[in-house]
Amino acid sequence: VAEQQAAQVQQRGAASARGAGNASNSSSSAAAAAAAAAAAEEEAANKARLRWTPELHDMFTRVVEELNGPEKATPKAILKKMGVKGMTIYHVKSHLQKFRIHVKSPNPSSRSKMTIHARNKEAAAAAAAMAEPE
């Protein structure tokens, strides 16, 4: 899809350059076409949906803690340490933003997936602690 959009932009750019009859316009059209192609690729990358499974989220939280917490961790460093195929910096930026908000103000009445996941982990830990003989 991005390639088709880039080709269309190039075709439009070439047509406008021929219509103007100006050599400098042709080079600026090529630059505009390249910029449009880059924007189309970035947009396509943003549309790729990533499902944050509990396992992925646990890996994310471990990496964030290794990087000295959510306020110090950067999306680029998290992405590099996680090394998950198909994950982009846009996925990490969004998840980190939500994670920072959740860490700052955990609302017990919230029904977010991260809160439910955290509650499930706490409940499992409490059940394990109760099951251990004294």
Side-chain angles (χ1 to χ4, degrees):
V1 174
E3 292 170 356
Q4 290 173 344
Q5 290 175 340
Q8 290 173 350
V9 169
Q10 286 177 335
Q11 288 172 350
R12 282 189 226 126
S16 67
R18 282 192 300 266
N22 187 344
S24 67
N25 193 14
S26 177
S27 65
S28 67
S29 294
E41 285 180 39
E42 184 176 288
E43 184 178 338
N46 284 340
K47 289 182 181 179
R49 176 96 164 89
L50 176 74
R51 173 93 169 97
W52 283 93
T53 63
E55 293 79 18
L56 259 183
H57 179 70
D58 288 343
M59 180 191 287
F60 173 87
T61 54
R62 280 193 308 271
V63 168
V64 167
E65 290 309 314
E66 286 174 19
L67 295 169
N68 300 319
E71 296 305 321
K72 301 262 185 195
T74 63
K76 187 175 182 179
I78 295 168
L79 181 64
K80 189 174 180 180
K81 271 196 167 255
M82 285 184 75
V84 175
K85 185 178 178 184
M87 185 180 287
T88 67
I89 197 157
Y90 303 105
H91 295 126
V92 177
K93 281 181 179 181
S94 174
H95 199 66
L96 181 59
Q97 184 177 27
K98 292 174 188 173
F99 186 74
R100 285 175 175 163
I101 290 169
H102 175 74
V103 168
K104 282 184 182 176
S105 59
N107 183 354
S109 66
S110 172
R111 301 310 269 168
S112 75
K113 289 180 184 177
M114 287 198 298
T115 301
I116 292 169
H117 178 65
R119 283 189 199 149
N120 289 343
K121 283 179 70 175
E122 289 172 5
M130 291 176 71
E132 291 179 11
E134 291 184 23

